[in-house]
Amino acid sequence: MNSLRAARLLPLCLTLACSASPPPTTPHHPEPSEPHPQAALRAPRVAPDAIEARFTDPERRAKLAAAFPRIDAMFAEEHTSSGAPALAVGIVVDGELAFAKGYGKRDVERGGVVDEHTVFRIGSITKVVTALAALKLVEDGVIALDAPAERYLPELGELVYPTSDAPRITVRHLMTYSSGLPYAGTFDDSSTVREPTEAEVLASLDGLPLQQAPGTSVRYSNLEYAVLGLLVARQSKLSFRRYVDQALLEPLGMKATKWRRPDVPADQLATAYAKTDGKPKPVDHWLLGAGEGSAGLYSSVADMAKLASFELAAWPARTAAEVGPISRARVRESQTVASFYSALLRRDGRGNRTVFSSGAGYGWWVHRDCQLDNVVVKDGGMEGYRSAMLLLPDRGVGVVALANFPMDLTSLTKRAAGVLLETGGLKPREVAPSAALIERAKIVTELLGTFDPERFRQTFTKEFLDQVSEAEFRSWMKWQADRHGSCRFERFEPSQSPLAAPWLATCDRGKRRFTMPLAGPHTPQFDAVTAESIFAPPPALLERLSGAIAGYPRWDDKKCEAIAKGSFACKDLVAALRGAAPKDATCALGGPIRGDGSMSSALELRCGDRELVLLLDLADGRVTSARVRSADAPTRCD
């Protein structure tokens, strides 16, 4: 094993005259710890009855396909309005390219059909492939994620660290935009006549100051992935291109994906265009050379769909044979947040409150929002090309878009995913509750109505009984009876765990939602009680809302105002409906699913064949704000 020398530090004294100081000491500069040598691990024990999350709607594929004409029209309109010569889109559903379409011409002057086989440069989506190549070496035991990267690429030892306590850059730092390396190196990665060499890329590291201590924040860097590509090449003992081809592209069947423009058949390549005075102007291709781990690949929608299918196939975790070049567990790891970036509270396009958080995976950006929940994205942009890939791992769907002109494809793919969500076909996978949970949930619901000391002791763990006395539990029962009357088990809600599915109870007054996980598969007892009350808004307000909504889509403001009698603003209600309901569908209001009925309420809403939720903020029996979301959107922003 190579020894690591003390790191170079950025001088702290930057003025011409420096005060005297004691002789410098060797910087501490912590190094990531290595695991101690140990015996080979035996195969883990796996539950023989492991439960796999599945899609439960038999009409799911048909619902999603029903959205394709709208998505087609959306991309056609964007192609026209953007002025892009060529645009292509693909939608992956359950590992298949379910929809693909091309728009425009490959070349403004020479023409050429655009379809799923048309090749574009994908720019920074290459980073996802480079990260997978590094993960392949990790899985093969060649490199370690948390080892100092200079162990595998000694030239990284010439970097200048900002502080003596900064940790050494690890392979994981390079993969998650958290190494502290600047956005670009000092070599020319935008030349159209000469490729930068490996020696030039590595020489740019000598004396280069890091922008922050590794691991302290996320800062996007092309240099980071150029260096990671060289590290992969060095440790694979092949050229970077050859290793990626052999380890990833060939096993995935991505035959159209190439590193060099001359390797792409001329009758498949879309010409690169810049925007000059609003019009397309042909531009030459940048030659990335030894820096191509950052953005070098060319590919098509059909090949990108194969990559998306491989990425999506990692979900859910399950007991099944591995079929890809990298294990499902490693691929799932690459799509989860490794370095947090930001969280924002903002308004969406309709003025609704929304929360957006973002972090870095391995090459990917991982988002959480109030519409699609868990979103994995990566885009790319360089000399006349744009690309975007959006994955919804929990929903088994991906969207790919490629263009040969500057345009915002990330927003376009997210809009397409929003259209898919509206169909009701994007419900996440679900896990059926275990037989023990079903039995215990019904017992608890009955127990809250009719107390039985023996059942009480059998239903809850010893730890719970040590903290909650029989008298305290009876007091809680009385509070519920006074507030709700008698309650009856209704149904389980969707869940990702067979031991922790929430359930609803219908009561004489309102509903109760219980979330009480079992202590374990072999301990069918609850160790906690969590419940919330659900009430509808006042009957008079509910009747007025139902009457007004029944008038949609043939809306009459005066009639609505007469129905509302000042209890809600008709313009806000119709704006909320128009933002989410199908254009010509009639709507009907259903029962409450969340909220206390006095300060807030979430009500079932069906418009045509679309399942929605009407979200109300309430005060003094009046609606202060109204918004509508898909029934399949996350509830965190309700």
Side-chain angles (χ1 to χ4, degrees), residues 521-589:
H522 304 299
T523 310
Q525 295 173 309
F526 298 118
D527 57 8
V529 173
T530 303
E532 62 177 301
S533 295
I534 301 171
F535 286 102
L541 176 59
L542 199 59
E543 183 178 352
R544 291 168 186 163
L545 284 166
S546 296
I549 288 172
Y552 185 84
R554 289 172 291 280
W555 196 262
D556 185 316
D557 286 335
K558 290 185 178 180
K559 184 176 180 180
C560 176
E561 295 295 347
I563 294 172
K565 299 185 185 302
S567 59
F568 53 86
C570 289
K571 62 179 181 62
D572 292 342
L573 181 60
V574 72
L577 291 170
R578 285 174 177 162
K583 184 177 180 181
D584 298 319
T586 58
C587 299
L589 197 60

Side-chain angles (χ1 to χ4, degrees), residues 20-39:
S21 59
T25 59
T26 301
H28 170 59
H29 208 71
E31 177 184 338
S33 60
E34 295 184 64
H36 295 292
Q38 58 184 9

Side-chain angles (χ1 to χ4, degrees), residues 56-379:
T56 59
D57 184 359
E59 301 299 320
R60 174 173 174 272
R61 293 292 294 268
K63 290 177 180 178
L64 293 174
F68 295 162
R70 282 184 62 194
I71 293 173
D72 183 9
M74 177 194 302
F75 273 78
E77 180 182 353
E78 194 70 22
H79 169 252
T80 300
S81 63
S82 69
L87 173 65
V89 60
I91 298 175
V92 175
V93 180
D94 300 341
E96 297 178 3
L97 182 57
F99 172 78
K101 187 73 179 287
Y103 309 85
K105 297 178 286 188
R106 292 195 310 270
D107 186 278
V108 171
E109 295 183 356
R110 294 189 294 272
V113 174
V114 180
D115 59 19
E116 68 270 27
H117 302 296
T118 302
V119 175
F120 302 76
R121 206 168 196 183
I122 64 171
S124 286
I125 295 181
T126 303
K127 291 179 173 68
V128 171
V129 177
T130 301
L132 286 174
L135 276 181
K136 175 66 174 171
L137 290 176
V138 170
E139 199 157 78
D140 290 344
V142 177
I143 64 176
L145 279 172
D146 294 313
E150 66 185 86
R151 179 170 296 156
Y152 310 118
L153 196 66
E155 290 86 349
L156 285 166
E158 302 302 325
L159 294 167
V160 178
Y161 284 75
T163 62
S164 63
D165 66 350
R168 294 182 187 273
I169 293 174
T170 65
V171 176
R172 193 188 303 272
H173 289 147
L174 291 175
M175 294 169 67
T176 58
Y177 311 119
S178 58
S179 69
L181 285 168
Y183 177 77
T186 56
F187 58 92
D188 185 1
D189 61 358
S190 60
S191 172
T192 60
V193 297
R194 179 181 174 277
E195 293 184 345
T197 66
E198 177 179 338
E200 289 172 332
V201 174
L202 294 176
S204 75
L205 303 177
D206 191 1
L208 182 68
L210 295 182
Q211 296 188 324
Q212 77 265 336
T216 57
S217 63
V218 172
R219 188 187 295 264
Y220 192 77
S221 171
N222 283 326
L223 177 59
E224 205 170 53
Y225 266 82
V227 168
L228 183 63
L230 294 180
L231 186 154
V232 167
R234 184 81 58 88
Q235 294 304 311
S236 68
K237 297 180 172 55
L238 295 170
S239 73
F240 177 65
R241 294 175 181 174
R242 191 67 201 118
Y243 180 73
V244 172
D245 288 349
Q246 287 183 358
L248 297 173
L249 302 185
E250 291 171 8
L252 293 177
M254 297 173 63
K255 296 180 180 179
T257 303
K258 305 295 181 181
W259 292 103
R260 300 170 60 249
R261 177 180 180 177
D263 294 334
V264 179
D267 61 353
Q268 292 181 9
L269 181 65
T271 301
Y273 291 95
K275 182 184 290 188
T276 304
D277 298 326
K279 296 181 180 180
K281 178 183 178 181
V283 291
D284 292 329
H285 293 212
W286 296 347
L287 302 177
L288 300 188
E292 63 195 358
S294 173
L297 282 172
Y298 295 79
S299 193
S300 64
V301 161
D303 266 21
M304 286 289 94
K306 294 175 182 177
L307 177 62
S309 297
F310 168 66
E311 294 276 352
L312 290 167
W315 302 87
R318 59 195 183 274
T319 299
E322 298 281 2
V323 294
I326 302 173
S327 70
R328 293 190 297 271
R330 285 294 185 189
V331 176
R332 291 194 298 271
E333 178 184 347
S334 75
Q335 298 174 25
T336 55
V337 173
S339 297
F340 176 74
Y341 181 59
S342 69
L344 302 171
L345 179 64
R346 59 191 186 189
R347 300 276 179 178
D348 65 15
R350 297 196 294 269
N352 297 326
R353 295 188 302 272
T354 184
V355 176
F356 175 86
S357 69
S358 178
Y362 299 158
W364 294 105
W365 292 109
V366 184
H367 299 163
R368 292 276 184 170
D369 65 16
C370 295
Q371 182 192 31
L372 297 166
D373 197 18
N374 183 30
V375 186
V376 178
V377 297
K378 190 69 190 81
D379 59 2

